[in-house]
Amino acid sequence: MRTRPLKVALLGCGVVGSEVARIMTTHADDLAARIGAPVELAGVAVRRPSRVREGIPAELVTTDATALVKRGDIDVVVEVIGGIEPARSLITAAFEHGASVVSANKALLAQDGAALHAAAEENNKDLYYEAAVAGAIPLIRPLRESLAGDKVNRVLGIVNGTTNFILDKMDSTGAGYQEALDEATALGYAEADPTADVEGFDAAAKAAILAGIAFHTRVRLDDVYREGMTEVTAADFRSAKEMGCTIKLLAICERSKDGASVTARVHPAMIPLTHPLASVRGAYNAVFVESDAAGQLMFYGPGAGGSPTASAVLGDLVAVCRNRLNGATGPGESAYAALPVSPMGEVVTRYHISLDVADKPGVLAQVATVFAEHGVSIDTVRQQGKDGEASLVVVTHRASDASLTGTVEALRKLDTVRGVASIMRVEGE
Ligand SMILES: NC(=O)c1ccc[n+]([C@@H]2O[C@H](COP(=O)([O-])OP(=O)(O)OC[C@H]3O[C@@H](n4cnc5c(N)ncnc54)[C@H](OP(=O)(O)O)[C@@H]3O)[C@@H](O)[C@H]2O)c1
């Protein structure tokens, strides 16, 4: 074993960074044995240097992250600051000054992954980011390496623990959205400002990263269709139950049937209770992958939290250090397929539509005609009437999102349709 240590610069020492530092220290001997050389924490960049940081020698702490990455003797920079800047400039500077990079930064990778990969390649360095997609759950490496000989057609995932906790609460207790969110906040599962989670921004960043790796193409954050879950109601859950379904916020990345394009989207959807993703409870994450040869695979585990996320960071650190000792780099960006990302209108799926209608003869026929005129075939219709008003629940066969949007616009114009109470996509069948 080499005795000269590999030097690691840690950028950020918060929820994730402090756990990375702890595991590096407590598992030092095992890490050295697995890598073939000891790893040494050479510096820790933070914003507030006076904060007490257990187990971190004070002399390693600095507020000058730029000077740390430019030192020239750093082998690996671990970026766990988050956000776009200064993380982007620091990673780029790290490559230029001889270091490889491990990051957990989904926002940055979803936005600028291509440029960062190019910078890594130009400088013959590694860029690893297993922790950016689903915390501890191995996904990037299985997609990049284990499934590199297969053809992935679909990735369907619960990639945000906060929203899964809220939806699971609504499902199991009959609570409304606000009540479930309040409980998630009180228990520390939701942040004071939950927008990034409940509006699907966090899941959309992860969908962009997953789609790019799964389909060997570039998918940017802007390419991902996004709908949050704040409009999901207790009534939606009751409807879902009647259909033998539950509701999850899903990230869905698909290759088109002809293989010529891909789509990536995040939105709440009904899935059958028999689907493996339906049993993912609480704040857990899971990703379901469908490929030509392997068939169906599911990856499950804690998608966030300091220690689970640090586990993924450490796995990357070991891989990058091994590459470094071998004078090699691991797999870089694979975007050779260069597939276009189709707009949401071209996505084909099933829909559950709940309408408030007048309870009089002929309404059902009128509604059915609108669906037929837009080429959307109806699978089932359920009607409940009371005091001259009725609700009509229509479940469709597979149709394009554009056809469904046209149908709903036309339905809203009917005098007998008082309102469209909810539209929910049905997935996983
Ligand atoms: N938390 C999770 O469960 C989780 C899961 C998966 C991925 N991630 C990703 O991991 C990354 C870190 O998340 P986190 O939860 O650990 O964040 P965090 O607790 O807010 O920690 C951020 C750290 O970065 C430091 N920092 C902020 N601005 C800095 C600057 N300009 N220069 C140097 N240091 C700076 C902070 O310093 P101070 O300590 O002085 O404030 C803090 O130590 C993010 O990209 C996040 O998306 C997190």
Side-chain angles (χ1 to χ4, degrees):
M1 182 162 80
R2 190 177 101 159
T3 49
R4 189 160 51 83
L6 288 153
K7 294 193 175 178
V8 176
L10 183 61
L11 310 184
C13 193
V15 174
V16 179
S18 58
E19 282 299 302
V20 170
R22 183 186 64 77
I23 298 171
M24 277 183 70
T25 311
T26 55
H27 296 187
D29 291 345
D30 285 328
L31 291 171
R34 290 169 198 176
I35 291 167
V39 274
E40 174 191 310
L41 196 55
V44 180
V46 297
R47 202 174 26 189
R48 296 167 292 175
S50 56
R51 231 176 150 194
V52 178
R53 298 176 202 269
E54 211 184 309
I56 310 266
E59 65 273 17
L60 292 186
V61 176
T62 175
T63 52
D64 194 345
T66 307
L68 179 58
V69 300
K70 288 185 176 176
R71 255 170 56 167
D73 65 335
I74 301 295
D75 292 285
V76 186
V77 166
V78 174
E79 184 276 309
V80 278
I81 292 177
I84 306 301
E85 284 295 350
R88 177 172 48 198
S89 305
L90 290 168
I91 291 175
T92 310
F95 292 138
E96 289 165 358
H97 289 80
S100 282
V101 173
V102 173
S103 173
N105 195 331
K106 62 213 126 189
L108 179 59
L109 281 147
Q111 185 181 302
D112 285 324
L116 293 175
H117 273 293
E121 203 168 320
E122 211 171 287
N123 292 286
N124 206 21
K125 297 290 172 295
D126 274 327
L127 171 61
Y128 277 45
Y129 44 90
E130 185 67 75
V133 174
I137 309 173
L139 270 174
I140 309 268
R141 197 165 290 118
L143 285 169
R144 247 187 188 178
E145 298 181 31
S146 319
L147 293 167
D150 203 340
K151 183 182 178 198
V152 175
N153 295 313
R154 199 151 114 106
V155 178
L156 190 68
I158 296 168
V159 291
N160 183 277
T162 305
T163 48
N164 201 55
F165 179 90
I166 295 170
L167 291 170
D168 187 29
K169 263 286 147 230
M170 292 173 75
D171 189 26
S172 57
T173 66
Y177 166 71
Q178 191 59 48
E179 196 187 329
L181 171 63
D182 290 345
E183 184 169 349
T185 311
L187 292 172
Y189 287 113
E191 295 187 20
D193 177 1
T195 310
D197 294 318
V198 299
E199 294 296 351
F201 291 103
D202 174 81
K206 294 166 176 177
I209 297 170
L210 281 175
I213 293 174
F215 305 133
H216 300 271
T217 193
R218 280 194 186 142
V219 179
R220 284 175 52 94
L221 185 54
D222 295 347
D223 296 322
V224 182
Y225 172 84
R226 180 193 53 76
E227 240 178 67
M229 42 74 75
T230 58
E231 309 279 306
V232 177
T233 63
D236 290 329
F237 272 101
R238 285 194 293 275
S239 289
K241 279 201 173 121
E242 280 169 27
M243 281 181 64
C245 289
T246 187
I247 299 170
K248 298 288 186 189
L249 183 75
L250 296 180
I252 304 168
C253 313
E254 284 174 317
R255 190 192 289 279
S256 63
K257 272 230 152 52
D258 64 3
S261 63
V262 297
T263 51
R265 54 195 164 110
V266 168
H267 54 70
M270 291 186 184
I271 53 166
L273 292 170
T274 49
H275 193 283
L277 286 178
S279 57
V280 177
R281 312 296 304 269
Y284 274 82
N285 283 194
V287 176
F288 196 74
V289 176
E290 295 173 17
S291 70
D292 266 4
Q296 299 180 327
L297 305 163
M298 188 154 103
F299 301 84
Y300 171 84
S307 153
T309 308
S311 163
V313 170
L314 262 296
D316 280 353
L317 180 64
V318 169
V320 167
C321 286
R322 285 173 177 159
N323 291 344
R324 190 102 180 159
L325 288 183
N326 290 332
T329 53
E333 186 190 31
S334 174
Y336 72 93
L339 297 168
V341 184
S342 300
M344 187 61 188
E346 289 178 26
V347 165
V348 173
T349 188
R350 297 178 67 208
Y351 302 86
H352 175 283
I353 304 125
S354 188
L355 303 169
D356 295 325
V357 298
D359 190 12
K360 57 185 189 188
V363 175
L364 188 54
Q366 241 184 346
V367 166
T369 304
V370 170
F371 276 88
E373 280 170 358
H374 290 81
V376 180
S377 155
I378 292 176
D379 181 16
T380 60
V381 183
R382 213 174 52 244
Q383 188 170 12
Q384 281 174 336
K386 202 173 110 208
D387 303 332
E389 296 294 307
S391 72
L392 209 57
V393 174
V394 179
V395 180
T396 74
H397 286 295
R398 285 167 64 78
S400 75
D401 216 78
S403 308
L404 196 277
T405 303
T407 308
V408 171
E409 273 168 24
L411 286 170
R412 286 188 205 276
K413 289 183 188 143
L414 292 181
D415 290 343
T416 46
V417 173
R418 310 274 190 246
V420 180
S422 86
I423 304 166
M424 186 86 64
R425 297 175 183 91
V426 184
E427 303 287 341
E429 291 177 310

